Amino acid sequence: MKQTDLRVGIIATGWIAEKAALTIQHMEGVTCHAVASRTFEKADAFARKWGIAHAYGSYSELLDAEDIDLVYVGTPHSHHFDVTMEAIQKGKPCLVEKAFMANYDQSLAVVKAAREQKVFLAEAIWTRYQPVVKTIREIIKSGRLGELRLLTGSIGYSMGDKPRIMRADLCGGALLDLGVYGINFVRMFCDAKIEQIESQCMKSDTDMDLTNTISWRMEGGIMANIQSSACCVNDNQGTICGTEGYLIVDNINNPQSVKIHKRDRVFVEEIKVPQQITGYEYQFLACKDAINNGLTETPYMPLDETLYIMKLMDDLRFKWGVHYPMDKR
Ligand SMILES: NC(=O)c1ccc[n+]([C@@H]2O[C@H](COP(=O)([O-])OP(=O)(O)OC[C@H]3O[C@@H](n4cnc5c(N)ncnc54)[C@H](OP(=O)(O)O)[C@@H]3O)[C@@H](O)[C@H]2O)c1
């Protein structure tokens, strides 16, 4: 580890924590310096597997450590709030997995705290940080697609009875886990004011949304159509359609290619994304860059945008009758 390395402390040892450790292991200038679990045995096993210097048997112990430059929160959404709030109060910069919090109220509270304490805070919605975002924005700006009219995004995984999806106390449902990618896909490329939203969902026996469809109309005559499912597989494609052509993004959960077509479905060009470790590396690099430059948020995913999307998801859930114990409304 070099003196200038960003020392990351990973909170939790689940699926995404493994991906983070794997990614960081192959990165230059970023080191996985510590891991914390609810039990020391799990933290220790994780640390040994990934060659991590420090293992802690509670999240608070890691948050007390002085040699952490960035806390990466990889607990279920239901458990993002307490650990993030504690980290901010202890002055620790934080990168928090998507969905950022259980709801808008929690999101607003942590954002307010981070802004008051002047502590770095960001949402780990990895697709926002990937270089292909800039490429697609440039294609749109160049006018090759003509005037934007429609954006679509589908995402689906058959996730069985995974507790994180089925249980209200773990903030279940497809929207917060998967739909958030579709919403971010549209918002990254078109953040025009939303004038009207229509949506519906199919629910589990536990009242969580398993499949949902959302469509919204924006200022300027642009529409978006987003669907997500935790009970069927999908091609996970996104499309951006204009008056002169369209592009297909494969896939909106970790883009690998962008195919551009002009009128009459005539294929024009395929752009492949640069070689990546896993695709998660860009979010850590963005945090390092922001922290080194004294910023308290990253331009890749401004906190106001995170708040906007959390509010949007609250409104959708409440309309569907999908409620979590943390919801005050
Ligand atoms: N960016 C992505 O591509 C991506 C992909 C998958 C998931 N995620 C996000 O990452 C977060 C975690 O997802 P995951 O798939 O890693 O979940 P997971 O495999 O279930 O792991 C979650 C971890 O959180 C900790 N935890 C703390 N309180 C818990 C509780 N009450 N119940 C269960 N676990 C608890 C546990 O670690 P300890 O026992 O060590 O404390 C557990 O291993 C979610 O917010 C999810 O949306 C992001």
Side-chain angles (χ1 to χ4, degrees):
M1 187 180 83
K2 291 195 213 98
Q3 282 273 295
T4 52
D5 276 11
L6 181 85
R7 295 164 301 182
V8 178
I10 299 184
I11 298 282
T13 58
W15 191 91
I16 197 65
E18 293 270 348
K19 293 285 175 217
L22 167 74
T23 306
I24 294 171
Q25 199 174 54
H26 291 90
M27 289 180 74
E28 292 278 327
V30 181
T31 304
C32 193
H33 191 62
V35 61
S37 172
R38 291 168 299 172
T39 62
F40 177 75
E41 290 69 27
K42 273 208 256 177
D44 189 47
F46 192 97
R48 284 171 196 274
K49 177 173 176 185
W50 297 106
I52 298 169
H54 304 285
Y56 296 105
S58 75
Y59 301 157
S60 292
E61 282 173 79
L62 186 147
L63 301 180
D64 285 332
E66 287 191 355
D67 50 358
I68 296 295
D69 303 314
L70 179 72
V71 172
Y72 168 69
V73 178
T75 57
H77 340 304
S78 48
H79 289 67
H80 288 178
F81 180 76
D82 287 350
V83 70
T84 305
M85 196 54 122
E86 185 180 340
I88 289 165
Q89 276 152 5
K90 290 177 174 173
K92 291 280 189 300
C94 269
L95 174 65
V96 184
E97 258 311 325
K98 49 54 66 174
F100 187 58
M101 296 286 145
N103 55 32
Y104 175 78
D105 290 342
Q106 287 191 345
S107 306
L108 187 62
V110 290
V111 167
K112 268 188 177 167
R115 285 178 172 162
E116 275 164 24
Q117 307 279 331
K118 299 190 172 38
V119 175
F120 176 85
L121 177 63
E123 179 183 1
I125 173 87
W126 59 322
T127 47
R128 284 265 178 178
Y129 302 86
Q130 298 179 331
V132 72
V133 174
K134 186 165 175 257
T135 310
I136 296 172
R137 283 183 178 150
E138 282 168 2
I139 294 167
I140 295 170
K141 204 169 163 210
S142 74
R144 287 174 79 182
L145 306 180
E147 284 178 39
L148 278 201
R149 288 287 176 258
L150 176 67
L151 297 94
T152 70
S154 288
I155 181 164
Y157 293 93
S158 207
M159 296 169 87
D161 284 345
K162 216 175 191 178
R164 213 162 61 59
I165 298 296
M166 303 304 280
R167 279 172 42 186
D169 64 316
L170 293 179
C171 299
L175 180 67
L176 262 69
D177 202 58
L178 302 171
V180 67
Y181 286 112
I183 293 173
N184 272 282
F185 176 75
V186 171
R187 293 277 306 169
M188 279 193 284
F189 304 117
C190 183
D191 61 0
K193 187 164 178 261
I194 299 175
E195 291 175 332
Q196 196 186 341
I197 303 188
E198 301 289 343
S199 70
Q200 55 183 323
C201 82
M202 201 269 301
K203 289 203 269 184
S204 66
D205 294 346
T206 54
D207 260 354
M208 298 295 101
D209 63 297
L210 284 184
T211 303
N212 60 63
T213 64
I214 307 157
S215 95
W216 70 61
R217 195 185 67 224
M218 289 171 269
E219 252 176 16
I222 308 170
M223 299 261 326
N225 205 344
I226 297 158
Q227 42 214 350
S228 63
S229 178
C231 65
C232 68
V233 290
N234 199 299
D235 60 13
N236 294 1
Q237 287 198 348
T239 66
I240 301 177
C241 311
T243 50
E244 300 304 321
Y246 64 94
L247 60 78
I248 303 173
V249 177
D250 181 24
N251 73 69
I252 63 167
N253 193 17
N254 184 11
Q256 296 304 303
S257 91
V258 178
K259 286 192 184 132
I260 305 173
H261 296 73
K262 58 183 183 182
R263 280 171 185 255
D264 301 323
R265 302 177 70 241
V266 175
F267 172 74
V268 179
E269 186 186 355
E270 177 172 11
I271 301 165
K272 298 262 191 202
V273 306
Q275 180 81 27
Q276 60 186 28
I277 302 170
T278 55
Y280 294 109
E281 60 269 34
Y282 303 109
Q283 60 189 12
F284 294 108
L285 289 173
C287 291
K288 183 179 182 188
D289 197 43
I291 292 166
N292 284 350
N293 285 301
L295 302 179
T296 49
E297 46 189 291
T298 160
Y300 291 91
M301 187 51 177
L303 289 171
D304 283 342
E305 179 67 1
T306 288
L307 289 174
Y308 183 89
I309 290 176
M310 287 307 308
K311 174 74 171 61
L312 195 66
M313 294 201 296
D314 269 16
D315 292 346
L316 289 163
R317 277 198 302 113
F318 297 161
K319 179 181 172 256
W320 301 338
V322 174
H323 294 282
Y324 305 143
M326 316 73 181
D327 294 331
K328 295 205 183 82
R329 285 180 285 157

